[in-house]
Amino acid sequence: MFGKKDKAPEASAATTAGAGSTGLSGDTKIKDWLAHPQGGPILRKMLAEAGQDASQLKPVQGFAMKRLIPMSKGQFSEEKIAELVAMAEAYDPATAGEEPAAAAPAAEEQPEDEAFDLPEFEEKVTDGRFVGKTLIITGAGSGIGRATASRVAREGGRVIAVDLNEAGLDEFIAEHPGLDIVKVVANITKQEDVDAVVAAAGDVIDGLANIAGIMDNMTPLHEVTDEMWDKVIAVNTTGLFKLSRAVIPFMLERHAGSIVNITSEAGLRGSAAGLAYTASKHAVVGITKSSAFMYGPQGIRVNAVAPGPVITGIGASFDSPMAAKRIQTAMAVLPTPVGPESLAASISFLLSDDGHNLNGVILPSDGGWSAV
Ligand SMILES: NC(=O)c1ccc[n+]([C@@H]2O[C@H](COP(=O)([O-])OP(=O)(O)OC[C@H]3O[C@@H](n4cnc5c(N)ncnc54)[C@H](O)[C@@H]3O)[C@@H](O)[C@H]2O)c1
Protein backbone atom coordinates (compact mmCIF):
# COMPACT_ATOMS: atom_id res chain seq x y z
CA MET A 1 0.00 0.00 0.00
CA PHE A 2 2.76 2.35 1.01
CA GLY A 3 6.06 1.37 -0.58
CA LYS A 4 8.68 0.78 2.05
CA LYS A 5 11.07 -1.90 3.10
CA ASP A 6 11.38 -3.26 6.61
CA LYS A 7 13.21 -0.38 8.19
CA ALA A 8 14.37 3.10 7.48
CA PRO A 9 17.72 3.14 5.74
CA GLU A 10 20.71 3.98 7.82
CA ALA A 11 21.32 7.70 7.98
CA SER A 12 23.88 8.63 5.38
CA ALA A 13 25.90 11.69 4.67
CA ALA A 14 23.32 12.82 2.13
CA THR A 15 20.38 12.49 4.49
CA THR A 16 21.87 13.78 7.70
CA ALA A 17 24.32 16.32 6.40
CA GLY A 18 23.32 19.61 4.92
CA ALA A 19 21.56 20.80 8.03
CA GLY A 20 23.09 24.19 7.46
CA SER A 21 21.36 27.53 7.76
CA THR A 22 17.91 26.01 7.25
CA GLY A 23 18.35 23.11 9.71
CA LEU A 24 16.66 20.87 7.12
CA SER A 25 17.94 17.37 6.31
CA GLY A 26 16.76 13.85 5.54
CA ASP A 27 16.07 13.44 9.26
CA THR A 28 13.61 16.36 9.32
CA LYS A 29 9.97 15.31 9.49
CA ILE A 30 7.94 15.93 6.34
CA LYS A 31 5.48 18.20 8.13
CA ASP A 32 8.42 20.33 9.31
CA TRP A 33 9.75 20.50 5.75
CA LEU A 34 6.33 21.68 4.56
CA ALA A 35 6.02 24.26 7.32
CA HIS A 36 9.54 25.63 6.74
CA PRO A 37 9.70 29.05 5.01
CA GLN A 38 12.42 27.87 2.61
CA GLY A 39 11.88 24.10 2.59
CA GLY A 40 8.10 24.35 2.13
CA PRO A 41 8.10 26.17 -1.23
CA ILE A 42 10.94 24.01 -2.57
CA LEU A 43 9.19 20.77 -1.62
CA ARG A 44 5.85 21.94 -3.01
CA LYS A 45 7.56 22.92 -6.26
CA MET A 46 9.11 19.46 -6.56
CA LEU A 47 5.72 17.86 -5.92
CA ALA A 48 4.01 20.11 -8.47
CA GLU A 49 6.61 19.17 -11.10
CA ALA A 50 5.66 15.52 -10.49
CA GLY A 51 1.95 16.39 -10.85
CA GLN A 52 1.37 16.00 -7.09
CA ASP A 53 0.61 18.21 -4.13
CA ALA A 54 1.39 18.27 -0.43
CA SER A 55 -1.92 16.65 0.54
CA GLN A 56 -0.52 13.38 -0.85
CA LEU A 57 2.14 13.42 1.85
CA LYS A 58 -0.42 13.68 4.63
CA PRO A 59 -0.31 9.99 5.63
CA VAL A 60 3.46 10.18 6.11
CA GLN A 61 3.76 13.70 7.46
CA GLY A 62 5.16 12.45 10.78
CA PHE A 63 8.01 10.52 9.13
CA ALA A 64 11.51 11.74 8.47
CA MET A 65 12.04 12.77 4.84
CA LYS A 66 14.55 9.93 4.30
CA ARG A 67 11.81 7.34 4.87
CA LEU A 68 10.35 8.37 1.49
CA ILE A 69 13.34 6.79 -0.27
CA PRO A 70 12.36 3.12 0.08
CA MET A 71 8.68 4.02 -0.26
CA SER A 72 9.21 5.64 -3.65
CA LYS A 73 10.50 2.52 -5.43
CA GLY A 74 13.42 4.37 -6.97
CA GLN A 75 11.72 7.69 -7.74
CA PHE A 76 13.23 9.45 -4.73
CA SER A 77 16.80 9.17 -3.51
CA GLU A 78 19.42 10.43 -1.09
CA GLU A 79 20.78 12.57 -3.91
CA LYS A 80 17.34 14.13 -4.35
CA ILE A 81 17.20 14.98 -0.65
CA ALA A 82 20.67 16.52 -0.83
CA GLU A 83 19.46 18.56 -3.83
CA LEU A 84 16.35 19.71 -1.94
CA VAL A 85 18.46 20.69 1.07
CA ALA A 86 20.80 22.70 -1.17
CA MET A 87 17.88 24.37 -3.00
CA ALA A 88 16.24 25.28 0.31
CA GLU A 89 19.53 26.74 1.55
CA ALA A 90 19.78 28.87 -1.59
CA TYR A 91 16.11 29.84 -1.66
CA ASP A 92 15.28 33.43 -0.86
CA PRO A 93 11.57 34.20 -1.09
CA ALA A 94 12.29 37.89 -1.68
CA THR A 95 14.63 37.46 -4.65
CA ALA A 96 12.63 34.51 -5.94
CA GLY A 97 9.68 36.87 -6.21
CA GLU A 98 7.54 34.73 -3.95
CA GLU A 99 5.03 36.24 -1.59
CA PRO A 100 6.19 35.22 1.91
CA ALA A 101 2.66 33.92 2.54
CA ALA A 102 3.16 31.39 -0.24
CA ALA A 103 5.61 29.56 1.98
CA ALA A 104 2.96 28.74 4.55
CA PRO A 105 1.09 25.48 4.08
CA ALA A 106 -2.42 25.78 2.71
CA ALA A 107 -5.18 25.13 5.24
CA GLU A 108 -5.91 21.65 3.88
CA GLU A 109 -2.26 20.68 4.29
CA GLN A 110 -2.13 21.57 7.97
CA PRO A 111 -1.24 18.42 9.82
CA GLU A 112 -4.14 17.35 12.03
CA ASP A 113 -1.93 15.95 14.75
CA GLU A 114 0.48 18.86 14.85
CA ALA A 115 -0.14 19.24 18.58
CA PHE A 116 0.80 15.60 19.19
CA ASP A 117 4.34 15.09 18.01
CA LEU A 118 4.42 11.39 18.79
CA PRO A 119 7.67 9.42 18.74
CA GLU A 120 8.11 6.60 16.23
CA PHE A 121 7.97 3.03 17.61
CA GLU A 122 11.30 1.57 18.66
CA GLU A 123 11.76 -2.19 18.71
CA LYS A 124 12.85 -3.76 21.97
CA VAL A 125 14.17 -7.21 21.16
CA THR A 126 13.35 -9.95 23.69
CA ASP A 127 16.62 -11.85 23.94
CA GLY A 128 16.33 -15.57 23.27
CA ARG A 129 12.55 -15.71 22.83
CA PHE A 130 12.84 -18.02 19.81
CA VAL A 131 16.04 -19.89 20.72
CA GLY A 132 15.85 -23.55 19.68
CA LYS A 133 12.81 -22.95 17.46
CA THR A 134 12.35 -23.23 13.71
CA LEU A 135 9.82 -20.89 12.12
CA ILE A 136 8.73 -20.60 8.51
CA ILE A 137 8.04 -17.01 7.52
CA THR A 138 6.59 -16.18 4.10
CA GLY A 139 6.92 -12.80 2.45
CA ALA A 140 10.35 -12.49 4.08
CA GLY A 141 11.72 -10.58 1.10
CA SER A 142 9.85 -7.37 1.86
CA GLY A 143 7.71 -5.37 4.25
CA ILE A 144 5.94 -7.06 7.15
CA GLY A 145 7.34 -10.53 6.41
CA ARG A 146 10.88 -9.22 6.31
CA ALA A 147 10.48 -7.26 9.53
CA THR A 148 8.99 -10.33 11.25
CA ALA A 149 11.72 -12.64 9.95
CA SER A 150 14.28 -10.12 11.18
CA ARG A 151 12.74 -9.92 14.65
CA VAL A 152 12.47 -13.70 15.03
CA ALA A 153 16.05 -14.25 13.82
CA ARG A 154 17.38 -11.55 16.16
CA GLU A 155 15.52 -13.23 19.01
CA GLY A 156 17.39 -16.47 18.36
CA GLY A 157 15.05 -18.39 16.04
CA ARG A 158 16.03 -20.44 13.00
CA VAL A 159 14.13 -18.73 10.20
CA ILE A 160 13.04 -20.40 6.99
CA ALA A 161 12.73 -17.23 4.93
CA VAL A 162 10.33 -17.74 2.02
CA ASP A 163 9.61 -15.42 -0.86
CA LEU A 164 9.25 -15.25 -4.63
CA ASN A 165 11.59 -12.33 -4.65
CA GLU A 166 15.14 -13.67 -4.43
CA ALA A 167 16.78 -10.26 -4.46
CA GLY A 168 14.70 -9.21 -1.46
CA LEU A 169 15.68 -12.37 0.42
CA ASP A 170 19.37 -11.85 -0.40
CA GLU A 171 19.23 -8.26 0.83
CA PHE A 172 17.48 -9.40 4.02
CA ILE A 173 20.08 -12.11 4.69
CA ALA A 174 22.95 -9.72 4.00
CA GLU A 175 21.52 -7.37 6.64
CA HIS A 176 21.64 -10.16 9.26
CA PRO A 177 25.11 -11.72 9.15
CA GLY A 178 25.65 -14.63 11.50
CA LEU A 179 21.96 -15.29 12.15
CA ASP A 180 20.30 -18.63 11.41
CA ILE A 181 18.36 -17.92 8.21
CA VAL A 182 17.60 -20.43 5.47
CA LYS A 183 16.65 -18.87 2.13
CA VAL A 184 13.89 -20.56 0.13
CA VAL A 185 12.84 -18.91 -3.10
CA ALA A 186 9.32 -20.23 -3.56
CA ASN A 187 5.92 -19.43 -4.95
CA ILE A 188 3.45 -20.46 -2.24
CA THR A 189 0.76 -21.10 -4.83
CA LYS A 190 2.74 -24.06 -6.25
CA GLN A 191 2.61 -27.39 -4.44
CA GLU A 192 6.17 -28.34 -5.40
CA ASP A 193 7.46 -25.07 -3.93
CA VAL A 194 5.44 -25.62 -0.76
CA ASP A 195 7.01 -29.08 -0.45
CA ALA A 196 10.46 -27.52 -0.84
CA VAL A 197 9.73 -25.05 1.97
CA VAL A 198 8.74 -27.83 4.35
CA ALA A 199 11.76 -29.91 3.35
CA ALA A 200 14.05 -26.96 4.10
CA ALA A 201 12.54 -26.65 7.58
CA GLY A 202 13.13 -30.28 8.55
CA ASP A 203 11.05 -32.46 10.87
CA VAL A 204 10.50 -29.95 13.63
CA ILE A 205 8.47 -26.89 12.76
CA ASP A 206 7.58 -24.71 15.73
CA GLY A 207 5.97 -21.80 13.95
CA LEU A 208 4.55 -20.60 10.66
CA ALA A 209 3.84 -16.98 9.78
CA ASN A 210 1.76 -16.75 6.60
CA ILE A 211 2.59 -13.19 5.61
CA ALA A 212 3.11 -13.21 1.81
CA GLY A 213 0.24 -11.49 0.06
CA ILE A 214 -0.79 -9.17 -2.74
CA MET A 215 -3.36 -6.38 -3.13
CA ASP A 216 -6.08 -6.14 -5.74
CA ASN A 217 -6.95 -3.14 -7.90
CA MET A 218 -9.79 -1.90 -5.67
CA THR A 219 -12.61 -2.98 -7.97
CA PRO A 220 -16.20 -3.76 -6.89
CA LEU A 221 -17.68 -7.17 -7.71
CA HIS A 222 -19.10 -6.38 -11.16
CA GLU A 223 -15.74 -5.01 -12.35
CA VAL A 224 -13.51 -7.84 -11.07
CA THR A 225 -11.82 -9.74 -13.89
CA ASP A 226 -11.28 -13.51 -13.71
CA GLU A 227 -7.56 -12.82 -13.82
CA MET A 228 -7.59 -10.50 -10.79
CA TRP A 229 -9.84 -12.82 -8.79
CA ASP A 230 -7.70 -15.89 -9.53
CA LYS A 231 -4.43 -14.10 -8.80
CA VAL A 232 -5.45 -12.61 -5.46
CA ILE A 233 -7.25 -15.71 -4.16
CA ALA A 234 -4.33 -17.91 -5.29
CA VAL A 235 -1.74 -16.05 -3.21
CA ASN A 236 -3.68 -14.68 -0.22
CA THR A 237 -5.94 -17.67 0.42
CA THR A 238 -4.88 -20.79 -1.51
CA GLY A 239 -1.13 -20.32 -0.94
CA LEU A 240 -1.69 -19.80 2.79
CA PHE A 241 -3.95 -22.87 2.86
CA LYS A 242 -1.47 -25.09 0.98
CA LEU A 243 1.50 -24.20 3.16
CA SER A 244 -0.53 -24.61 6.38
CA ARG A 245 -1.79 -27.98 5.15
CA ALA A 246 1.79 -29.10 4.60
CA VAL A 247 3.02 -27.86 7.99
CA ILE A 248 0.22 -28.93 10.35
CA PRO A 249 1.00 -32.69 10.27
CA PHE A 250 4.47 -31.90 11.71
CA MET A 251 2.85 -29.88 14.48
CA LEU A 252 0.26 -32.57 15.16
CA GLU A 253 3.02 -35.09 15.64
CA ARG A 254 4.54 -33.02 18.46
CA HIS A 255 1.27 -31.55 19.79
CA ALA A 256 2.84 -28.11 19.54
CA GLY A 257 2.98 -25.23 17.14
CA SER A 258 1.95 -21.65 16.52
CA ILE A 259 0.58 -20.35 13.24
CA VAL A 260 -0.04 -16.67 12.58
CA ASN A 261 -1.97 -15.70 9.46
CA ILE A 262 -2.01 -12.18 8.10
CA THR A 263 -5.43 -10.93 7.25
CA SER A 264 -6.19 -7.22 6.92
CA GLU A 265 -8.62 -4.54 7.89
CA ALA A 266 -10.25 -5.83 4.68
CA GLY A 267 -10.75 -9.13 6.50
CA LEU A 268 -12.90 -7.36 9.07
CA ARG A 269 -15.05 -5.06 6.98
CA GLY A 270 -16.09 -4.23 3.42
CA SER A 271 -14.68 -0.74 3.11
CA ALA A 272 -10.91 -1.22 3.03
CA ALA A 273 -10.15 -2.71 -0.42
CA GLY A 274 -11.65 -4.21 -3.55
CA LEU A 275 -13.83 -7.32 -3.70
CA ALA A 276 -11.12 -9.88 -4.46
CA TYR A 277 -8.75 -8.77 -1.69
CA THR A 278 -11.64 -8.40 0.79
CA ALA A 279 -12.89 -11.91 0.00
CA SER A 280 -9.36 -13.37 0.19
CA LYS A 281 -8.74 -11.82 3.61
CA HIS A 282 -12.17 -12.78 5.00
CA ALA A 283 -11.28 -16.34 3.97
CA VAL A 284 -8.08 -16.04 6.01
CA VAL A 285 -10.22 -15.21 9.05
CA GLY A 286 -12.32 -18.33 8.40
CA ILE A 287 -9.25 -20.54 7.96
CA THR A 288 -7.83 -19.15 11.21
CA LYS A 289 -10.97 -19.73 13.27
CA SER A 290 -11.72 -23.20 11.90
CA SER A 291 -8.11 -24.33 12.46
CA ALA A 292 -7.95 -22.82 15.95
CA PHE A 293 -11.12 -24.71 16.85
CA MET A 294 -9.98 -27.99 15.30
CA TYR A 295 -6.39 -28.11 16.53
CA GLY A 296 -6.54 -26.22 19.84
CA PRO A 297 -6.95 -29.40 21.91
CA GLN A 298 -3.84 -30.81 20.22
CA GLY A 299 -1.58 -27.96 21.29
CA ILE A 300 -1.59 -26.00 18.04
CA ARG A 301 -2.53 -22.34 18.20
CA VAL A 302 -3.77 -20.54 15.09
CA ASN A 303 -4.23 -16.78 15.27
CA ALA A 304 -4.36 -13.90 12.80
CA VAL A 305 -3.18 -10.32 12.70
CA ALA A 306 -5.17 -7.68 10.84
CA PRO A 307 -2.83 -4.81 9.96
CA GLY A 308 -4.00 -1.27 9.35
CA PRO A 309 -1.94 0.88 6.96
CA VAL A 310 1.72 -0.14 6.93
CA ILE A 311 4.55 1.33 4.90
CA THR A 312 5.77 -1.56 2.74
CA GLY A 313 6.36 -2.52 -0.87
CA ILE A 314 2.78 -3.65 -1.46
CA GLY A 315 1.06 -1.82 -4.28
CA ALA A 316 -2.59 -1.09 -5.03
CA SER A 317 -4.17 0.78 -7.89
CA PHE A 318 -7.59 2.36 -7.88
CA ASP A 319 -8.95 1.06 -11.18
CA SER A 320 -12.61 1.79 -10.49
CA PRO A 321 -13.77 5.41 -10.06
CA MET A 322 -16.93 4.15 -8.38
CA ALA A 323 -15.08 2.06 -5.79
CA ALA A 324 -12.39 4.73 -5.32
CA LYS A 325 -15.05 7.23 -4.28
CA ARG A 326 -16.62 4.80 -1.79
CA ILE A 327 -13.34 3.53 -0.34
CA GLN A 328 -11.82 6.98 0.00
CA THR A 329 -14.83 8.03 2.11
CA ALA A 330 -14.03 5.23 4.55
CA MET A 331 -10.34 6.14 4.49
CA ALA A 332 -11.10 9.55 6.00
CA VAL A 333 -10.46 7.99 9.41
CA LEU A 334 -7.32 6.13 8.36
CA PRO A 335 -4.76 6.13 11.18
CA THR A 336 -1.19 7.24 10.56
CA PRO A 337 0.66 4.43 8.76
CA VAL A 338 3.31 2.61 10.75
CA GLY A 339 6.53 0.87 9.77
CA PRO A 340 6.50 -2.93 9.35
CA GLU A 341 8.43 -3.39 12.60
CA SER A 342 5.21 -2.41 14.41
CA LEU A 343 3.48 -5.41 12.82
CA ALA A 344 6.47 -7.65 13.53
CA ALA A 345 5.95 -6.85 17.22
CA SER A 346 2.33 -8.08 17.12
CA ILE A 347 3.07 -11.12 14.94
CA SER A 348 6.12 -12.27 16.91
CA PHE A 349 4.13 -11.95 20.15
CA LEU A 350 1.47 -14.35 18.83
CA LEU A 351 4.11 -16.69 17.38
CA SER A 352 6.00 -16.86 20.66
CA ASP A 353 5.14 -18.61 23.91
CA ASP A 354 4.04 -15.21 25.24
CA GLY A 355 0.88 -15.87 23.23
CA HIS A 356 0.37 -19.32 24.75
CA ASN A 357 -3.16 -18.60 25.98
CA LEU A 358 -4.35 -17.12 22.69
CA ASN A 359 -6.01 -19.26 20.05
CA GLY A 360 -8.43 -18.21 17.31
CA VAL A 361 -7.78 -14.53 17.95
CA ILE A 362 -8.10 -12.05 15.09
CA LEU A 363 -5.87 -9.28 16.40
CA PRO A 364 -6.20 -5.88 14.75
CA SER A 365 -2.79 -4.19 14.77
CA ASP A 366 -4.06 -0.97 13.30
CA GLY A 367 -3.73 1.93 15.72
CA GLY A 368 -7.41 1.63 16.54
CA TRP A 369 -8.80 1.85 13.00
CA SER A 370 -11.12 -1.10 13.58
CA ALA A 371 -12.60 0.65 16.60
CA VAL A 372 -14.13 3.31 14.34
N1 LIG B 1 0.99 -2.93 3.91
C1 LIG B 1 -0.22 -2.79 4.37
O1 LIG B 1 -0.71 -1.68 4.57
C2 LIG B 1 -1.04 -4.03 4.71
C3 LIG B 1 -2.28 -3.84 5.33
C4 LIG B 1 -3.04 -4.96 5.63
C5 LIG B 1 -2.58 -6.22 5.34
N2 LIG B 1 -1.37 -6.37 4.72
C6 LIG B 1 -0.95 -7.75 4.43
O2 LIG B 1 0.36 -7.94 4.94
C7 LIG B 1 1.02 -8.94 4.19
C8 LIG B 1 2.41 -8.47 3.81
O3 LIG B 1 2.28 -7.37 2.94
P1 LIG B 1 3.35 -6.20 2.84
O4 LIG B 1 2.58 -4.95 2.98
O5 LIG B 1 4.50 -6.48 3.69
O6 LIG B 1 3.70 -6.33 1.29
P2 LIG B 1 5.08 -6.47 0.50
O7 LIG B 1 4.70 -6.42 -0.93
O8 LIG B 1 6.07 -5.51 1.01
O9 LIG B 1 5.55 -7.94 0.87
C9 LIG B 1 4.86 -9.07 0.41
C10 LIG B 1 5.87 -10.13 0.02
O10 LIG B 1 5.14 -11.29 -0.39
C11 LIG B 1 5.83 -11.86 -1.48
N3 LIG B 1 4.92 -12.70 -2.28
C12 LIG B 1 3.88 -12.30 -3.02
N4 LIG B 1 3.32 -13.33 -3.65
C13 LIG B 1 4.05 -14.43 -3.28
C14 LIG B 1 3.96 -15.81 -3.60
N5 LIG B 1 3.04 -16.28 -4.46
N6 LIG B 1 4.86 -16.66 -3.05
C15 LIG B 1 5.82 -16.19 -2.21
N7 LIG B 1 5.94 -14.90 -1.88
C16 LIG B 1 5.07 -14.03 -2.41
C17 LIG B 1 6.30 -10.67 -2.28
O11 LIG B 1 7.35 -11.02 -3.16
C18 LIG B 1 6.72 -9.71 -1.18
O12 LIG B 1 8.09 -9.83 -0.88
C19 LIG B 1 0.11 -9.25 2.99
O13 LIG B 1 -0.59 -10.45 3.25
C20 LIG B 1 -0.83 -8.07 2.95
O14 LIG B 1 -2.05 -8.41 2.40
C21 LIG B 1 -0.59 -5.30 4.39
Side-chain angles (χ1 to χ4, degrees), residues 1-2 4 139 141-145 162-165 186-189 211-214 235-236 262-265 277 281 307-310 312-314:
M1 197 172 289
F2 301 92
K4 189 198 170 289
S142 174
I144 298 169
V162 180
D163 207 294
L164 268 179
N165 172 2
N187 181 344
I188 55 163
T189 69
I211 304 180
I214 55 172
V235 179
N236 294 358
I262 302 311
T263 176
S264 163
E265 205 71 20
Y277 186 80
K281 292 298 189 180
V310 189
T312 70
I314 208 162

Coordinates of all heavy atoms in Angstrom, one line a residue, residues 1-2 4 139 141-145 162-165 186-189 211-214 235-236 262-265 277 281 307-310 312-314, ligand 1:
M1 N 0.8 -1.2 0.0 CA 0.0 0.0 0.0 C 0.9 1.2 0.0 O 0.8 2.1 -0.8 CB -0.9 -0.1 1.2 CG -2.1 0.9 1.1 SD -3.2 0.6 2.5 CE -4.0 -0.9 2.1
F2 N 1.8 1.3 1.0 CA 2.8 2.3 1.0 C 4.1 1.7 0.8 O 4.5 0.9 1.6 CB 2.7 3.1 2.3 CG 1.4 3.7 2.6 CD1 0.5 3.0 3.3 CD2 1.0 4.9 2.1 CE1 -0.8 3.5 3.6 CE2 -0.2 5.5 2.3 CZ -1.1 4.7 3.1
K4 N 7.6 0.6 1.1 CA 8.7 0.8 2.1 C 9.2 -0.6 2.4 O 8.5 -1.6 2.4 CB 8.2 1.5 3.3 CG 9.4 1.8 4.2 CD 9.0 2.1 5.6 CE 10.2 2.2 6.5 NZ 10.9 1.0 6.7
G139 N 6.9 -14.2 2.7 CA 6.9 -12.8 2.4 C 8.2 -12.2 3.1 O 8.2 -10.9 3.3
G141 N 10.9 -11.4 2.0 CA 11.7 -10.6 1.1 C 11.4 -9.1 1.2 O 12.1 -8.3 0.7
S142 N 10.3 -8.8 1.9 CA 9.8 -7.4 1.9 C 8.9 -7.1 3.0 O 8.3 -8.0 3.6 CB 9.2 -7.1 0.5 OG 8.6 -5.8 0.5
G143 N 8.8 -5.9 3.4 CA 7.7 -5.4 4.2 C 7.5 -6.1 5.6 O 8.5 -6.3 6.3
I144 N 6.3 -6.5 5.9 CA 5.9 -7.1 7.2 C 6.6 -8.4 7.4 O 7.1 -8.7 8.5 CB 4.4 -7.2 7.3 CG1 3.7 -5.8 7.2 CG2 4.0 -7.9 8.6 CD1 2.2 -5.9 7.0
G145 N 6.7 -9.2 6.3 CA 7.3 -10.5 6.4 C 8.8 -10.4 6.7 O 9.4 -11.1 7.6
V162 N 11.0 -17.3 3.3 CA 10.3 -17.7 2.0 C 9.8 -16.5 1.3 O 9.2 -15.7 1.8 CB 9.1 -18.7 2.3 CG1 8.4 -19.1 1.0 CG2 9.5 -19.9 3.1
D163 N 10.1 -16.5 0.0 CA 9.6 -15.4 -0.9 C 9.8 -15.8 -2.3 O 10.7 -16.6 -2.6 CB 10.3 -14.1 -0.5 CG 9.4 -12.9 -0.9 OD1 9.1 -12.7 -2.1 OD2 8.9 -12.2 0.0
L164 N 9.0 -15.2 -3.2 CA 9.2 -15.3 -4.6 C 10.4 -14.4 -5.0 O 11.1 -14.7 -6.0 CB 8.1 -14.6 -5.3 CG 6.8 -15.3 -5.8 CD1 5.9 -14.3 -6.4 CD2 7.2 -16.3 -6.8
N165 N 10.6 -13.4 -4.3 CA 11.6 -12.3 -4.6 C 13.0 -12.6 -4.1 O 13.3 -12.4 -2.9 CB 11.0 -11.0 -4.1 CG 12.0 -9.8 -4.2 OD1 13.1 -10.0 -4.8 ND2 11.6 -8.7 -3.7
A186 N 10.5 -19.4 -3.3 CA 9.3 -20.2 -3.6 C 8.1 -19.4 -3.8 O 7.9 -18.3 -3.3 CB 9.1 -21.1 -2.3
N187 N 7.2 -20.0 -4.7 CA 5.9 -19.4 -4.9 C 4.9 -20.3 -4.1 O 4.7 -21.5 -4.5 CB 5.6 -19.5 -6.5 CG 4.3 -18.9 -6.8 OD1 3.4 -18.7 -5.9 ND2 4.1 -18.6 -8.1
I188 N 4.3 -19.7 -3.1 CA 3.5 -20.5 -2.2 C 2.2 -21.0 -2.9 O 1.5 -21.8 -2.3 CB 3.1 -19.7 -1.0 CG1 2.4 -18.3 -1.3 CG2 4.3 -19.5 -0.1 CD1 1.6 -17.7 -0.2
T189 N 1.9 -20.6 -4.1 CA 0.8 -21.1 -4.8 C 1.1 -22.4 -5.5 O 0.2 -23.1 -6.0 CB 0.2 -20.1 -5.9 OG1 1.2 -20.0 -7.0 CG2 0.0 -18.7 -5.3
I211 N 2.6 -14.7 5.8 CA 2.6 -13.2 5.6 C 2.5 -12.8 4.1 O 2.0 -11.7 3.8 CB 3.8 -12.5 6.3 CG1 3.8 -13.0 7.8 CG2 3.8 -11.0 6.2 CD1 4.9 -12.4 8.7
A212 N 3.1 -13.6 3.2 CA 3.1 -13.2 1.8 C 1.7 -12.9 1.3 O 0.7 -13.6 1.7 CB 3.7 -14.4 1.0
G213 N 1.6 -11.8 0.6 CA 0.2 -11.5 0.1 C 0.3 -10.4 -1.0 O 1.4 -9.7 -1.1
I214 N -0.7 -10.2 -1.7 CA -0.8 -9.2 -2.7 C -2.1 -8.4 -2.6 O -3.1 -9.0 -2.1 CB -0.6 -9.7 -4.2 CG1 -1.7 -10.8 -4.5 CG2 0.8 -10.3 -4.4 CD1 -1.7 -11.3 -5.9
V235 N -2.8 -16.4 -4.1 CA -1.7 -16.0 -3.2 C -2.3 -15.9 -1.8 O -1.8 -16.6 -0.9 CB -1.0 -14.7 -3.6 CG1 0.1 -14.4 -2.6 CG2 -0.5 -14.8 -5.0
N236 N -3.3 -15.0 -1.6 CA -3.7 -14.7 -0.2 C -4.4 -15.8 0.5 O -4.3 -15.9 1.7 CB -4.6 -13.4 -0.3 CG -3.9 -12.2 -0.7 OD1 -2.7 -12.2 -1.0 ND2 -4.6 -11.1 -0.8
I262 N -1.8 -13.6 8.2 CA -2.0 -12.2 8.1 C -3.3 -12.0 7.3 O -3.3 -12.3 6.1 CB -0.8 -11.5 7.4 CG1 0.5 -11.7 8.3 CG2 -1.1 -10.0 7.3 CD1 0.4 -11.5 9.8
T263 N -4.2 -11.4 8.0 CA -5.4 -10.9 7.2 C -5.3 -9.4 7.0 O -4.2 -9.0 6.6 CB -6.7 -11.3 8.0 OG1 -7.8 -10.8 7.3 CG2 -6.8 -10.9 9.5
S264 N -6.3 -8.7 7.2 CA -6.2 -7.2 6.9 C -7.4 -6.6 7.5 O -8.4 -7.3 7.9 CB -6.2 -7.0 5.4 OG -6.5 -5.7 5.1
E265 N -7.4 -5.3 7.5 CA -8.6 -4.5 7.9 C -9.7 -5.0 6.9 O -10.9 -5.1 7.3 CB -8.3 -3.0 7.7 CG -9.2 -2.1 8.5 CD -8.9 -2.2 10.0 OE1 -7.8 -2.6 10.4 OE2 -9.8 -1.8 10.8
Y277 N -9.6 -8.8 -2.9 CA -8.8 -8.8 -1.7 C -9.6 -9.0 -0.4 O -9.2 -9.7 0.5 CB -8.0 -7.4 -1.7 CG -7.0 -7.3 -0.6 CD1 -5.7 -7.9 -0.7 CD2 -7.3 -6.6 0.6 CE1 -4.7 -7.7 0.3 CE2 -6.3 -6.5 1.6 CZ -5.1 -7.0 1.5 OH -4.1 -6.9 2.5
K281 N -9.1 -12.0 2.2 CA -8.7 -11.8 3.6 C -9.8 -12.2 4.6 O -9.5 -12.6 5.7 CB -8.3 -10.4 3.8 CG -7.1 -10.0 3.1 CD -5.9 -10.7 3.6 CE -4.5 -10.2 3.0 NZ -3.4 -11.0 3.5
P307 N -3.5 -6.1 10.0 CA -2.8 -4.8 10.0 C -3.7 -3.7 9.4 O -4.5 -3.9 8.5 CB -1.6 -5.0 9.0 CG -1.6 -6.5 8.7 CD -3.0 -7.0 8.9
G308 N -3.5 -2.5 10.0 CA -4.0 -1.3 9.4 C -3.0 -0.8 8.3 O -2.2 -1.7 7.8
P309 N -2.9 0.5 8.0 CA -1.9 0.9 7.0 C -0.5 0.8 7.4 O -0.1 1.2 8.5 CB -2.3 2.3 6.7 CG -3.1 2.8 7.9 CD -3.7 1.6 8.5
V310 N 0.3 0.1 6.6 CA 1.7 -0.1 6.9 C 2.6 0.3 5.7 O 2.2 0.0 4.6 CB 2.0 -1.6 7.2 CG1 3.4 -1.8 7.8 CG2 0.9 -2.2 8.2
T312 N 5.1 -0.4 3.3 CA 5.8 -1.6 2.7 C 5.8 -1.4 1.2 O 5.5 -0.4 0.7 CB 5.0 -2.9 3.1 OG1 3.8 -2.9 2.3 CG2 4.7 -3.0 4.5
G313 N 6.3 -2.5 0.6 CA 6.4 -2.5 -0.9 C 5.1 -2.9 -1.6 O 5.0 -2.9 -2.8
I314 N 4.0 -3.2 -0.8 CA 2.8 -3.7 -1.5 C 2.2 -2.5 -2.3 O 2.2 -1.3 -1.9 CB 1.8 -4.2 -0.4 CG1 0.9 -5.3 -1.0 CG2 1.0 -3.1 0.3 CD1 0.2 -6.2 0.0
Ligands
LIG1 N1 1.0 -2.9 3.9 C1 -0.2 -2.8 4.4 O1 -0.7 -1.7 4.6 C2 -1.0 -4.0 4.7 C3 -2.3 -3.8 5.3 C4 -3.0 -5.0 5.6 C5 -2.6 -6.2 5.3 N2 -1.4 -6.4 4.7 C6 -0.9 -7.7 4.4 O2 0.4 -7.9 4.9 C7 1.0 -8.9 4.2 C8 2.4 -8.5 3.8 O3 2.3 -7.4 2.9 P1 3.4 -6.2 2.8 O4 2.6 -4.9 3.0 O5 4.5 -6.5 3.7 O6 3.7 -6.3 1.3 P2 5.1 -6.5 0.5 O7 4.7 -6.4 -0.9 O8 6.1 -5.5 1.0 O9 5.6 -7.9 0.9 C9 4.9 -9.1 0.4 C10 5.9 -10.1 0.0 O10 5.1 -11.3 -0.4 C11 5.8 -11.9 -1.5 N3 4.9 -12.7 -2.3 C12 3.9 -12.3 -3.0 N4 3.3 -13.3 -3.6 C13 4.0 -14.4 -3.3 C14 4.0 -15.8 -3.6 N5 3.0 -16.3 -4.5 N6 4.9 -16.7 -3.1 C15 5.8 -16.2 -2.2 N7 5.9 -14.9 -1.9 C16 5.1 -14.0 -2.4 C17 6.3 -10.7 -2.3 O11 7.4 -11.0 -3.2 C18 6.7 -9.7 -1.2 O12 8.1 -9.8 -0.9 C19 0.1 -9.2 3.0 O13 -0.6 -10.5 3.2 C20 -0.8 -8.1 3.0 O14 -2.1 -8.4 2.4 C21 -0.6 -5.3 4.4

